[in-house]
Amino acid sequence: MILFNETVNIDNAVAANWLQWMQETHIPEVMATTFFIKFQIAKVMEEEDNGGSTYAIQYYARHMDDLLEYHREHDQAMQAKMQAKYPGQFVAFRTVLEVVG
């Protein structure tokens, strides 16, 4: 199984709105692509001194090919939506992991 992790640090001024948007709009849109079989969202407990809150959004794919196809077909549009809704209010980085246990 492949775990696609997106860690997002979002400005506290919009964090509650962003989290609601993620849960009600963005994540359902990602899951509707059918390339992932489950997801979870977690809040990083360690506080940053940058005025933001950090979350890890984790999507599980059966195979690497599913993740690669998602990237080819949907990822750019999904990123653009977040960038348009929260311009300059977040930073994100992504990690791809193989679940081994």
Side-chain angles (χ1 to χ4, degrees):
M1 185 171 302
I2 302 300
L3 172 59
F4 174 51
N5 182 83
E6 185 169 27
T7 302
V8 178
N9 181 270
I10 184 78
D11 188 310
N12 281 334
V14 296
N17 178 272
W18 173 85
L19 183 58
Q20 181 178 2
W21 177 77
M22 288 294 290
Q23 293 171 323
E24 295 176 1
T25 304
H26 185 76
I27 292 172
E29 286 179 358
V30 171
M31 295 304 292
T33 68
T34 71
F35 290 108
F36 302 104
I37 57 172
K38 66 179 180 175
F39 75 92
Q40 65 183 23
I41 186 166
K43 186 173 193 288
V44 175
M45 298 300 294
E46 294 147 354
E47 291 291 324
E48 302 270 337
D49 287 339
N50 63 5
S53 296
T54 303
Y55 293 86
I57 303 92
Q58 300 174 331
Y59 301 97
Y60 293 83
R62 285 184 185 90
H63 308 284
M64 189 64 173
D65 288 344
D66 291 338
L67 178 59
L68 294 173
E69 194 166 343
Y70 169 79
H71 282 307
R72 278 192 301 273
E73 294 183 14
H74 302 283
D75 191 48
Q76 190 172 25
M78 295 293 185
Q79 286 186 51
K81 288 179 184 182
M82 190 181 320
Q83 194 68 286
K85 188 152 182 74
Y86 300 99
Q89 296 174 306
F90 72 94
V91 294
F93 70 90
R94 297 155 154 221
T95 310
V96 176
L97 305 108
E98 180 182 13
V99 178
V100 295

